Amino acid sequence: MAKEQNSETSAATEESVCPECGGTGFIVDERGARPCKCRGTQVAQIRLRRARIPPRFMGKTLRSFQITRSPERRHIRECVENYVKSFTPRTLNPEEVSSNGLLLIGAVGSGKTHIAVAILREVIERGFTGRYWNIVDLLDELRASFDPNSPAAAWEIMEEIEGADLLVLDDLGAEAPTGWVHDRLYQIINRRYEDNRPTIVTTNLELRDLADQIGSRITSRLCEMCMHVPFPNVDWRRKRMMENS
Ligand SMILES: Nc1ncnc2c1ncn2[C@@H]1O[C@H](COP(=O)(O)OP(=O)(O)OP(=O)(O)O)[C@@H](O)[C@H]1O
Ligand SMILES: [Mg+2]
Ligand SMILES: [Zn+2]
């Protein structure tokens, strides 16, 4: 589990004042000083903000992922509930090196980002760190980071990618496939692979198309790193619109 830094707790106390401890994070009385119960929540909230979940998906949870009349969706929810329960940020025992990530494959609007974000939130609430990245945005930021005026250097972005207990890479395959893009994707995924770090990847592409789009070396690594979670072919956005019209 990632250690909390002092900066996280002090930032927490600046932003919301707890009536129990007056925002100090500690209760001091005749028995001495002890941590206030608000500390855990505040730290989790800061970790959640740092995960950069897009506002539209902030409220998405495993419970709000509907499974009625769909054995496939029920199976997905059970599978990810188990994943969250048994989540460990790093497998150190070489015998246990296995698929500690998830590859969520499915059509447009089938609920992949919803589920990926819901898992990320649960994992953060359990005390781990995590980071959401849309793959196109990540590549844009990496590209921009080579500009000397960029606020973040490439190594800082890579450090964040390597350091997250759980990394979500959303919409793999949506990027334009250039040589530079392939090199960066390889670097990102291979770092997580070599380090045995859990990664959740979502994509619209079936494995064969994914290999065509991002290359077989990256796809092959993902197959070893991740459990395959297929999503039923329903565009939930369209379904909701038709139901409401
Ligand atoms: N089973 C479900 N229960 C409740 N809401 C759902 C379900 N599946 C999808 N949704 C909702 O439908 C919308 C589309 O889902 P989401 O964005 O996760 O799809 P996606 O598979 O990531 O699509 P894309 O490939 O286009 O990115 C979201 O608002 C999501 O919350
Ligand atoms: Mg999506
Ligand atoms: Zn408090």
Side-chain angles (χ1 to χ4, degrees), residues 18 20-23 25 36-39:
C18 163
E20 299 279 321
C21 63
C36 177
K37 60 179 182 296
C38 72
R39 269 174 78 98

Side-chain angles (χ1 to χ4, degrees), residues 73-87:
R73 271 194 284 272
R74 178 179 302 273
H75 178 72
I76 291 172
R77 205 166 87 178
E78 282 166 5
C79 169
V80 299
E81 277 167 354
N82 286 334
Y83 179 80
V84 168
K85 267 192 228 139
S86 59
F87 179 84

Side-chain angles (χ1 to χ4, degrees), residues 53-54 57 60 112-122 132:
I53 295 171
F57 286 91
K60 308 290 181 186
K112 304 178 296 295
T113 305
H114 181 134
I115 283 290
V117 162
I119 297 171
L120 184 58
R121 165 192 290 279
E122 297 260 346
Y132 168 93

Side-chain angles (χ1 to χ4, degrees), residues 132-175:
Y132 168 93
W133 276 107
N134 172 282
I135 207 80
V136 176
D137 292 342
L138 170 56
L139 291 165
D140 267 358
E141 277 210 31
L142 275 174
R143 207 176 278 114
S145 70
F146 291 101
D147 182 326
N149 297 322
S150 159
W155 67 264
E156 286 175 301
I157 300 174
M158 286 309 292
E159 220 172 58
E160 216 189 331
I161 285 171
E162 284 168 44
D165 290 337
L166 177 62
L167 179 69
V168 171
L169 295 176
D170 199 13
D171 251 341
L172 187 64
E175 68 292 329

